[in-house]
Amino acid sequence: MAPYVGRFAPSPSGPLHAGSLTTALASWLDAQCHQGHWLVRVENIDAQRCDPRWVEVILGQLASIGLHPQAPPAWQSQRSALYESALEQLKSTHQIYACDCSRKLIRSTVAQSPDDLSLRDDNEMLYPGICRQRGLQGGPQTAWRLRVGLATEPVVINWADRRLGAQKQDLTQTLGDFVLRRRDGAWAYQLAVVIDDADQGVTHVVRGEDLASNTARQIYLQRCLNLAPVHYLHTPLVFDEHAQKLSKHRGAPAAIVNTPELARQALQDCAHTLDLHLPSELWLRPTLNEILMAAIQAWQVRWAMA
Ligand code: GLU
């Protein structure tokens, strides 16, 4: 079997909630089914939102449900040199350019109306190419943008998700040139994740469906840097009683797994979200290990071959 490397990449901006615990379990199960390596990566490039103290908590939650990474976690905050060299590579081939546009300027350029709904999320806004001709001349407050397409040809990315099926995004029409390094000097998630996955030899990405809309950008960036393609599986999300996706941002409660009973219950809930059918007799008094073994078998049937 070809080497398999999978990863769980939490941002330490809070403890894991039921949704992120489910993603962690999914990525672990997929690695087990492929006799692969399973890594944890601390995604703390956003220094303002992340607190290293959460890393202990997150690793503790993972350990409580029996998930142990096969290597000490990598921290994005220690990997700037890698991101820097990727940016240099893209500069040398003129695939990126300097951009000083403020959000306000971009918004006012693309807005159709004052409350244009398509402008709700800055990261999903079509960049109108204001600085496209500018080249590599940066200043102290310069962002770096990746050119999406070098000429007038549209860039359409087709990719296959192991759960969601065939996906397609026209990057030129929907997002345009996107940011790899922000004006405040922070690395963009798109760059860090692509470089880290490549550097760590990740072959399979298993993560929440809320991140699926980033995948086309990441595939495009991999191609620009001549990096190996990766397999993707985006997992179902967990919703609260108001049908809102659980997120730290909205204060989703931490997954409490610090007793064997609670850990078993949490695993049962994660398995349910992942549409894994575990034998019902398991739930009388199974050990954590028995639940995990049953979940591996169920994952094998449901998702491993996808
Ligand atoms: N750090 C991201 C998050 O916590 C996950 C990124 C990824 O899996 O690609 O949502």
Side-chain angles (χ1 to χ4, degrees):
M1 198 183 284
Y4 174 114
V5 180
R7 51 48 161 202
F8 173 56
S11 306
S13 54
L16 300 179
H17 51 66
S20 37
L21 200 70
T22 303
T23 306
L25 176 66
S27 64
W28 183 87
L29 289 173
D30 203 45
Q32 304 312 304
C33 286
H34 290 89
Q35 283 100 51
H37 277 282
W38 184 68
L39 305 173
V40 170
R41 184 168 72 230
V42 177
E43 299 222 317
N44 63 336
I45 35 168
D46 191 344
Q48 271 167 12
R49 288 176 57 193
C50 296
D51 184 333
R53 284 175 299 181
W54 288 118
V55 176
E56 272 311 279
V57 175
I58 292 171
L59 292 174
Q61 288 173 297
L62 294 175
S64 297
I65 60 164
L67 312 189
H68 303 276
Q70 269 142 315
W75 291 58
Q76 283 187 329
S77 54
Q78 296 167 1
R79 301 164 68 80
S80 297
L82 278 176
Y83 311 146
E84 198 79 62
S85 77
L87 208 69
E88 288 308 313
Q89 185 182 335
L90 293 166
K91 269 184 203 169
S92 68
T93 48
H94 292 267
Q95 291 181 94
I96 54 173
Y97 60 86
C99 171
D100 291 335
C101 293
S102 64
R103 287 176 187 185
K104 207 167 146 211
L105 173 67
I106 299 171
R107 280 173 172 268
S108 62
T109 312
V110 290
Q112 307 285 324
S113 67
D115 46 12
D116 195 336
L117 283 184
S118 64
L119 303 180
R120 273 187 305 192
D121 184 347
D122 286 323
N123 290 323
E124 304 299 323
M125 209 157 55
L126 176 66
Y127 180 65
I130 302 164
C131 292
R132 208 162 207 242
Q133 308 305 330
R134 218 184 107 173
L136 301 175
Q137 210 56 48
Q141 279 243 305
T142 298
W144 291 95
R145 278 186 191 271
L146 182 66
R147 274 179 214 284
V148 173
L150 298 177
T152 48
E153 285 283 288
V155 173
V156 180
I157 304 289
N158 287 288
W159 57 282
D161 185 273
R162 293 167 56 204
R163 175 174 153 261
L164 303 172
Q167 306 289 312
K168 180 178 184 170
Q169 186 174 14
D170 181 336
L171 284 179
T172 322
Q173 296 257 324
T174 54
L175 293 162
D177 302 341
F178 59 90
V179 169
L180 298 185
R181 188 171 203 174
R182 298 194 328 219
R183 293 206 307 157
D184 62 4
W187 298 105
Y189 157 66
Q190 312 295 353
L191 178 77
V193 81
V194 164
I195 299 304
D196 286 338
D197 283 339
D199 179 66
Q200 295 187 291
V202 169
T203 55
H204 289 69
V205 167
V206 176
R207 62 184 175 192
E209 194 177 326
D210 52 335
L211 294 166
S213 62
N214 295 285
T215 307
R217 268 171 282 186
Q218 294 169 10
I219 292 171
Y220 181 67
L221 181 54
Q222 284 160 7
R223 292 180 188 168
C224 291
L225 289 163
N226 294 317
L227 300 173
V230 173
H231 298 278
Y232 295 96
L233 188 159
H234 288 88
T235 56
L237 304 179
V238 178
F239 296 93
D240 66 14
E241 65 277 19
H242 310 294
Q244 295 282 339
K245 166 182 91 84
L246 288 193
S247 76
K248 286 179 230 168
H249 187 59
R250 287 199 203 90
I256 310 290
V257 286
N258 56 357
T259 69
E261 193 48 48
L262 289 169
R264 282 198 290 264
Q265 184 58 50
L267 277 180
Q268 184 176 19
D269 294 345
C270 293
H272 180 75
T273 304
L274 295 170
D275 200 19
L276 300 180
H277 301 290
L278 306 185
S280 52
E281 70 271 17
L282 256 186
W283 302 111
L284 297 176
R285 284 210 69 75
T287 63
L288 212 54
N289 201 42
E290 283 165 342
I291 300 175
L292 289 172
M293 290 305 129
I296 291 174
Q297 278 184 11
W299 182 274
Q300 183 75 41
V301 174
R302 187 75 186 81
W303 301 116
M305 294 309 153

